[in-house]
Amino acid sequence: MSAPVRAPSPAPAGRLAVCAPLRIEARAARRGLAGHGLASQGEVLRTGYGARKSAAAAQRLRRYQADAVAVTGTCGGLAAGLVPGDLIVATEVAGPDGTVVRCPSAPVLAGQLRRAGLRVHEGRIATRASMFDAAERTAAAAAGAIAVDMESSFLLAGAAGRPAAVVRAVSDMADRPLLRPGVVTGGIAALRSLRQAGPALAAWAAAAGPRQVLLAGPRSFCAGVERAIQIVERVLEDGPDAPVYVRKQIVHNTHVVSGLEQRGAVFVDELSEVPDGATVVFSAHGVSPAVRAEAGRRGLATIDATCPLVAKVHTEARRFSGDGYTVVFIGHAGHEEVEGTLGEAPEAMVLVQNLADVAALDPADPDKVAYLMQTTLAADEAAEIVDALRRRFPGIRGPGSDDICYATTNRQLAVRAIAAESDVVLVAGSANSSNSRRLVETAERAGTPAYLIDNTGDIELGWLTGASAVGITAGASAPPEAVSQIVAALEGLGRVEVGERVLTTESIKFSLPKEVRPA
């Protein structure tokens, strides 16, 4: 484990320099800041129209006392679906000389603008030294640009290593180009959007600055999740020409599911949506015997991706119920793992979610009570419920080994470690991921604000304002690249020093079911 860092100290709010080429664009930007009482946080600089004036302004901007630089103004839209007034947040800006400047914090700024109710698109902006004609617009679009302008690339040179962002409002489209230089044909809608973008730009600058990033270890995929994803991938690679169906989300992560859908997997909620005789994969969360029986009656070719640790709990449920015990299952109602486990012995099992449920228990034989747990619970919360059960039923029996899986426990211990050194903790994971939500709760119980984010666009800039140390982890169902994307976005807000707190290294691997094992 790495040596601890110094105690976090508040980071100063960044002062913003907003560069706007035209007088009317600068006026809109000023009104956007002043109208929300933010004028003291930034200054709007009218930089002039076109390449020559922008290059000269960039030289002056290098000497300007500002912590962050934003380029704003109007632009020409290239992508289908754009309309005047739409905002383009540049992920990168391509210059006329072929240089490309990336804007890593674009997803965070775009998310802030969307939450303000604005129509926002992220993508490449192409800058030229002269007006774009139809052929040049076509070429820029073919190279991946969604908008064009004549200043952004030149002005970004003046940022000189400071956090930089580009937000342009669409004023004209390829089928309705500018009538002549300096005339904003879609002006009213574009200028209104520039004005409304002011608070988000001020929040972006306030969140800018150097910071420490602490990565929890372990984080992201566990062995059960890797196995489930690999099963679907193998079936898609080697399976029949007909569609491959997956009952429920294979794991609770929107990015994983979307990626497998793009490769041809069809996700359904119930087996009734699967044609007779088709191939269906059961998700990592497990299914009840009733679901298996239905699949058998309909002649479905089934492949079981249930996590082996979930399957262990199913086995314990059958064992205890077969011995005549009332089985108390500690878990969250509605979760697929809970539904599958309760289905193993519905007549003998009862769900307990909190201490009130414990107090309300009325088993047929108080001397024959056992308990089991959902594998993704928060360990300390579950322990509180178990203590209450033991007080009510001193002879209660439990599982032979912990039901909460090793990966859940490891990630909770790791997030608690980074929470102690962080001003805020960001947890990568989808909203329906139980283990990811428990990581947020674990950090909060350690006294640190924590937030669950599915995309970098979910990061609210206010969370980062004054935060000089940011902890990052990912739920067991979140892909590793989710953490890399968060770090990249933070690097767009200022210099980042990345450290890692590794409490343990996981080496567990689960074998694949026989249906998809290599020959």
Side-chain angles (χ1 to χ4, degrees), residues 355 358-359 382-393:
L355 296 179
V358 174
E384 185 179 23
I385 295 176
V386 171
D387 289 343
L389 286 169
R390 292 193 185 282
R391 287 193 296 270
R392 277 213 62 193
F393 309 105

Side-chain angles (χ1 to χ4, degrees), residues 54-55 57-59 61-62 69 71 101 151-162 164:
S54 297
Q59 292 301 318
L61 185 60
R62 288 175 175 272
V69 174
V71 177
V101 178
E151 297 92 12
S152 292
S153 175
F154 303 105
L155 290 171
L156 282 179
R162 290 170 289 187

Side-chain angles (χ1 to χ4, degrees), residues 376-472:
T376 54
L377 294 180
D380 47 1
E381 184 181 19
E384 185 179 23
I385 295 176
V386 171
D387 289 343
L389 286 169
R390 292 193 185 282
R391 287 193 296 270
R392 277 213 62 193
F393 309 105
I396 193 170
R397 293 185 61 186
S401 59
D402 285 343
D403 282 342
I404 297 178
C405 83
Y406 76 95
T408 297
T409 300
N410 288 346
R411 281 153 187 74
Q412 289 174 14
L413 292 173
V415 78
R416 188 178 297 131
I418 64 168
E421 302 180 59
S422 303
D423 297 305
V424 65
V425 171
L426 302 177
V427 178
S430 295
N432 62 339
S433 168
S434 176
N435 74 86
S436 299
R437 295 174 72 91
R438 303 294 84 78
L439 292 176
V440 172
E441 295 168 1
T442 300
E444 290 175 335
R445 280 195 291 273
T448 303
Y451 304 95
L452 181 65
I453 60 171
D454 207 0
N455 302 283
T456 49
D458 294 335
I459 300 173
E460 296 189 22
L461 288 163
W463 302 342
L464 303 176
T465 302
S468 62
V470 177
I472 302 176

Side-chain angles (χ1 to χ4, degrees), residues 25-390:
E25 296 167 341
R27 184 185 302 124
R30 281 192 200 95
R31 288 178 176 175
L33 294 174
H36 293 82
L38 301 168
S40 62
Q41 297 181 26
E43 185 170 352
V44 179
L45 311 174
R46 182 189 168 199
T47 54
Y49 172 81
R52 183 179 59 81
K53 291 182 178 179
S54 297
Q59 292 301 318
R60 298 192 300 273
L61 185 60
R62 288 175 175 272
R63 301 186 296 272
Y64 193 81
Q65 295 299 308
D67 301 299
V69 174
V71 177
T72 189
T74 59
C75 65
L78 299 179
L82 294 178
V83 297
D86 284 4
L87 289 177
I88 308 295
V89 178
T91 55
E92 59 184 23
V93 176
D97 60 353
T99 60
V100 176
V101 178
R102 289 177 173 79
C103 303
S105 65
V108 183
L109 177 54
Q112 195 82 3
L113 290 163
R114 289 190 182 101
R115 286 187 290 275
L118 297 166
R119 279 175 53 97
V120 182
H121 308 265
E122 301 168 52
R124 169 184 280 206
I125 291 179
T127 297
R128 265 189 62 88
S130 59
M131 291 290 290
F132 280 78
D133 60 26
E136 289 167 335
R137 284 179 179 244
T138 300
I146 64 172
V148 293
D149 69 23
M150 295 176 59
E151 297 92 12
S152 292
S153 175
F154 303 105
L155 290 171
L156 282 179
R162 290 170 289 187
V166 177
V167 179
R168 309 290 298 228
V170 175
S171 62
D172 64 290
M173 300 296 298
D175 57 345
R176 287 181 294 166
L178 293 177
L179 298 177
R180 63 182 184 272
V183 176
V184 182
T185 56
I188 294 176
L191 295 174
R192 183 189 303 118
S193 294
L194 290 180
R195 187 167 62 249
Q196 293 173 332
L201 286 174
W204 172 80
R211 51 178 46 93
Q212 174 92 13
V213 168
L214 302 175
L215 304 180
R219 60 185 178 273
S220 192
F221 284 166
C222 65
V225 166
E226 289 179 337
R227 174 181 182 270
I229 295 171
Q230 189 176 6
I231 287 171
V232 178
E233 290 174 338
R234 288 286 183 88
V235 177
L236 290 171
E237 292 169 0
D238 305 329
D241 294 333
V244 173
Y245 294 86
V246 183
R247 184 184 181 275
K248 306 293 187 182
Q249 292 187 353
I250 186 67
V251 297
H252 283 160
N253 186 268
T254 58
H255 302 289
V256 171
V257 170
S258 176
L260 292 173
E261 281 180 329
Q262 292 173 17
R263 297 181 60 178
V266 179
F267 289 86
V268 299
D269 285 328
E270 300 298 341
L271 291 185
S272 59
E273 302 171 58
V274 180
D276 290 349
T279 298
V280 61
V281 179
F282 294 145
S283 78
H285 310 102
V287 298
S288 68
V291 172
R292 297 180 189 277
E294 180 186 352
R297 287 193 303 271
R298 297 188 47 213
L300 301 178
T302 62
I303 301 173
D304 192 358
T306 301
C307 173
L309 299 181
V310 174
K312 175 185 83 74
V313 181
H314 284 214
T315 300
E316 292 168 333
R318 293 193 297 270
R319 175 170 61 86
F320 279 131
S321 61
D323 290 341
Y325 282 82
T326 296
V327 183
V328 176
F329 189 65
I330 306 170
H332 297 288
H335 192 278
E336 286 142 37
E337 180 186 335
V338 172
E339 292 175 349
T341 306
L342 292 176
E344 289 289 350
E347 72 290 340
M349 298 186 72
V350 58
L351 178 64
V352 162
Q353 300 187 79
N354 49 46
L355 296 179
D357 290 343
V358 174
L361 285 172
D362 185 23
D365 184 351
D367 293 327
K368 295 204 72 175
V369 179
Y371 74 87
L372 300 171
M373 296 182 191
Q374 182 179 337
T375 62
T376 54
L377 294 180
D380 47 1
E381 184 181 19
E384 185 179 23
I385 295 176
V386 171
D387 289 343
L389 286 169
R390 292 193 185 282

